[in-house]
Amino acid sequence: MTPSRDQCLFIAELAGEAERFDDVVAQIKTIITSIDPRLALEERNLLSVAYKNITNNLRSSWRIVDTLEKVQAARSKNTASRQILLIRQQRERIEHELTEVCKDIVNVLDRDLLPHAQPGEEQVFYSKMKGDYYRYLAEFAQKHEREKFGDCSLAAYKIAYQRAVTTLDPIHPTRLGLALNFSVFYHDVRKSPERACFVAKSAFDDAISVLEGTDPSQSTAFRDSLMILQLLKDDLLLWAEEMKD
């Protein structure tokens, strides 16, 4: 018997507290497929945080193993040594796991969440997620797939950005978070710090222009916006130094 929505949400929250993020995903997927593809804000955030934690762990593992592989290759004259082959096998295993997770959430977004999303913040949020996970795929994909995933990420970010500028305030945390990740895409995937700075600075300036007229209440959304603005500023300073060098 399918559990109720409240039961699924309770178990998902419990799993999140226990950092069992695969269980969080399973419970929210049950809600999506068996109860309602339109997620409530709390359900949506649980799903987003769960996938983010799963992929962050895998991306961190991949970077470590990839670095070790390069270090070992530089030290060894034999690029087909037993140690390098073992490291390569582990990297490829992590790549496979990461690919499966990223493609899984993209499929959920395309099949269930985006078709039922309400115009405005909900559509922007899901389109941004789609851009994020295609960006992760582009970061570690082999050369023949890197451009394909990069193009998919760019298309999703563009759709999200077009929707954000027409439906969300410049200070809205979802719009600012989108600008932050979109600028990182240009810097890390497209290798264009100039374009990255343009996106980040446009979002930063637009938000600052309306900040003075904003109610300075310390709501969660307001604090989130200020935190993202600081991240945008940090990136701008870092990338400006890169271009100067």
Side-chain angles (χ1 to χ4, degrees):
M1 187 174 65
T2 303
S4 70
R5 188 170 195 154
D6 287 342
Q7 288 174 325
C8 289
L9 178 59
F10 177 79
I11 297 172
E13 290 173 334
L14 181 64
E17 290 293 330
E19 297 187 358
R20 292 180 57 86
F21 298 110
D22 288 328
D23 292 344
V24 176
V25 169
Q27 293 302 317
I28 301 302
K29 278 185 174 180
T30 298
I31 294 176
I32 293 170
T33 58
S34 302
I35 301 172
D36 186 0
R38 276 213 63 207
L39 296 179
L41 178 61
E42 188 175 9
E43 296 162 349
R44 187 185 74 187
N45 287 340
L46 279 168
L47 184 72
S48 174
V49 169
Y51 272 109
K52 183 176 181 179
N53 277 279
I54 293 169
T55 52
N56 278 355
N57 288 338
L58 288 169
R59 290 168 72 208
S60 177
S61 297
W62 183 87
R63 290 190 189 103
I64 292 170
V65 175
D66 183 61
T67 300
L68 290 173
E69 182 181 357
K70 291 173 181 175
V71 169
Q72 188 68 26
R75 290 176 177 173
S76 175
K77 295 180 180 179
N78 179 14
T79 57
S81 68
R82 182 63 178 165
Q83 290 87 349
I84 292 177
L85 290 176
L86 289 171
I87 295 172
R88 187 174 301 151
Q89 288 173 5
Q90 184 66 13
R91 173 179 57 77
E92 290 172 351
R93 179 185 172 189
I94 297 169
E95 283 178 7
H96 177 73
E97 290 182 32
L98 186 48
T99 298
E100 290 299 305
V101 173
C102 291
K103 288 185 175 180
D104 179 52
I105 180 57
V106 168
N107 287 336
V108 172
L109 288 162
D110 279 339
R111 184 185 65 239
D112 300 310
L113 299 179
L114 277 166
H116 297 92
Q118 291 294 303
E121 196 268 344
E122 196 172 326
Q123 283 187 342
V124 173
F125 185 92
Y126 288 139
S127 296
K128 170 188 168 294
M129 276 187 74
K130 184 176 176 179
D132 290 341
Y133 287 95
Y134 270 126
R135 171 164 60 89
Y136 301 157
L137 285 166
E139 285 176 350
F140 66 86
Q142 298 303 311
K143 187 175 181 180
H144 65 282
E145 288 193 305
R146 194 174 302 149
E147 186 173 350
K148 178 186 73 174
F149 290 137
D151 290 343
C152 291
S153 179
L154 178 60
Y157 279 137
K158 281 185 174 180
I159 290 172
Y161 204 76
Q162 289 165 0
R163 289 171 174 166
V165 297
T166 56
T167 61
L168 302 179
D169 291 334
I171 199 66
H172 196 290
T174 299
R175 178 169 167 175
L176 287 173
L178 167 62
L180 177 67
N181 289 13
F182 197 5
S183 62
V184 169
F185 163 84
Y186 275 118
H187 182 270
D188 291 357
V189 177
R190 287 294 193 245
K191 308 301 180 185
S192 174
E194 297 85 358
R195 188 67 184 172
C197 284
F198 176 80
V199 173
K201 190 173 187 307
S202 295
F204 186 88
D205 290 345
D206 289 345
I208 294 298
S209 68
V210 301
L211 194 59
E212 293 182 358
T214 304
D215 181 9
S217 60
Q218 293 302 301
S219 65
T220 301
F222 188 81
R223 291 196 298 270
D224 288 346
S225 296
L226 292 180
M227 182 181 68
I228 299 170
L229 280 171
Q230 184 60 52
L231 292 173
L232 284 167
K233 183 178 180 181
D234 292 344
D235 283 347
L236 280 168
L237 292 172
L238 179 64
W239 296 337
E241 283 299 315
E242 284 184 16
M243 290 187 290
K244 186 189 298 183
D245 292 340

